Amino acid sequence: MKIFYYLIISFYVLISGNASSQDFPARGEIYDFNIGDVFHTYLSASIGMADLQNIEIVDKYFSQNSDTVFYTQSVVGLYSSSDTPPWGEYYEELETIFYTNLLDTFTGDSLFQLPELYNNRLIVQTFDSLGGSEETRRYAIGCGEVYMRYFEFDGQGSVSANFDLVYFKKGEEEWGEEHTIVGLDEMIKENKLTIYPNPAKNYITFQLPLNTIESIIYITNIYGISIAEHHIYKGQTQIIWECSNVAKGVYFYHTEIEATNYSGKILIQ
């Protein structure tokens, strides 16, 4: 597997023409978004999750020293507790993300361009291999992270995760195939299990359906690995998860209550 990835990287370098002689871009070039930019992404993991997101940049501002850029983005998504549809939850959220050290060089293992990828934008690719795991990531000028492949084998089984930017629109420029998230059943939007606040920093409250029976809420990272479990007892109406010591990032929850599956995304800031 390792040899295969190195061959792929070498192939990209060879076919990129003069790209190998180019300088690696600055972080600010990779994360150069503008208000109105649209990105559609797809994330899945073999252990059991899939997440479809339509993202639009609605605000942009810089730190006082201009070394950090902040983006407010509107997110409409569909989440599944399987690595393929059918989708289990519709969600909408407004979140702020940021990137710092904008003048630093964004280095990687290879630098290339391909006409069929991201409208021929310059791509930085990284590859990491440690023990039984391998991870490849791509970052494109003006689009941020556009691709991720993760694979881990522990001798008993394997885990894989995949992320792709499938569509973007920047001004008049478009690339890829749009997601359409419309016409969902209203019962999906009115999930009886709700969580708040989301995004969160210190705690998250799970507001449970009425007449709850015993169950368990599972919380996993993007690779499907469990990081927390909360037992639900009969008649319980609320669970509070202290998450102040959890690393910033995206997590997922799922549970089954009275034959109904509930699942969704959690953002820890």
Side-chain angles (χ1 to χ4, degrees):
M1 179 66 73
K2 186 184 298 184
I3 294 175
F4 170 78
Y5 276 111
Y6 283 130
L7 288 174
I8 290 294
I9 292 170
S10 299
F11 171 75
Y12 282 135
V13 173
L14 287 172
I15 64 176
S16 60
N18 294 328
S20 60
S21 63
Q22 292 178 280
D23 293 330
F24 281 93
R27 286 177 54 83
E29 295 179 82
I30 293 291
Y31 299 115
D32 183 20
F33 311 149
N34 293 297
I35 295 174
D37 284 0
V38 173
F39 304 97
H40 293 184
T41 65
Y42 183 77
L43 171 68
S44 66
S46 61
I47 286 182
M49 60 77 55
D51 195 38
L52 191 74
Q53 288 193 341
N54 290 3
I55 300 167
E56 181 176 356
I57 304 298
V58 297
D59 195 13
K60 175 181 181 178
Y61 52 96
F62 290 88
S63 61
Q64 188 171 4
N65 63 1
S66 298
D67 188 49
T68 301
V69 61
F70 297 85
Y71 294 106
T72 302
Q73 56 185 31
S74 171
V75 181
V76 176
L78 291 173
Y79 173 79
S80 172
S81 56
S82 166
D83 58 354
T84 59
W87 302 105
E89 181 184 349
Y90 170 96
Y91 60 91
E92 298 179 11
E93 58 191 25
L94 196 67
E95 61 185 22
T96 299
I97 59 174
F98 67 91
Y99 303 98
T100 192
N101 301 322
L102 300 179
L103 296 180
D104 289 359
T105 300
F106 198 109
T107 57
D109 298 301
S110 59
L111 187 68
F112 60 89
Q113 291 170 268
L114 290 174
E116 64 271 25
L117 288 179
Y118 323 118
N119 237 18
N120 208 33
R121 287 173 174 264
L122 189 65
I123 300 164
V124 178
Q125 180 162 284
T126 64
F127 175 79
D128 289 307
S129 177
L130 180 64
S133 67
E134 295 176 343
E135 183 177 85
T136 302
R137 293 179 181 266
R138 291 177 187 160
Y139 305 84
I141 292 286
C143 293
E145 186 173 18
V146 295
Y147 172 98
M148 183 275 291
R149 292 291 182 272
Y150 174 84
F151 178 82
E152 181 177 351
F153 183 75
D154 62 5
Q156 297 181 346
S158 63
V159 175
S160 63
N162 305 280
F163 170 83
D164 288 284
L165 175 68
V166 298
Y167 169 84
F168 72 79
K169 186 176 189 300
K170 294 175 70 68
E172 298 300 316
E173 180 188 4
E174 286 187 86
W175 174 87
E177 184 174 346
E178 293 183 78
H179 293 154
T180 301
I181 303 180
V182 295
L184 296 175
D185 190 291
E186 291 301 317
M187 291 301 293
I188 294 178
K189 296 184 182 182
E190 297 174 2
N191 196 328
K192 294 180 182 179
L193 183 148
T194 59
I195 67 170
Y196 61 89
N198 190 20
K201 291 184 179 180
N202 299 311
Y203 70 92
I204 286 180
T205 298
F206 292 84
Q207 192 68 41
L208 304 173
L210 297 176
N211 303 317
T212 298
I213 62 173
E214 292 189 4
S215 186
I216 300 176
I217 295 177
Y218 299 94
I219 301 171
T220 62
N221 61 19
I222 63 170
Y223 303 120
I225 299 172
S226 178
I227 65 163
E229 296 181 5
H230 293 276
H231 287 265
I232 301 172
Y233 299 99
K234 185 176 180 179
Q236 192 170 3
T237 61
Q238 196 177 79
I239 285 178
I240 297 177
W241 177 37
E242 295 286 346
C243 57
S244 57
N245 293 325
V246 178
K248 296 179 180 179
V250 177
Y251 299 87
F252 300 91
Y253 71 88
H254 67 275
T255 187
E256 182 177 333
I257 301 175
E258 294 184 314
T260 300
N261 289 310
Y262 296 99
S263 57
K265 187 179 73 167
I266 299 169
L267 180 64
I268 305 298
Q269 293 184 331

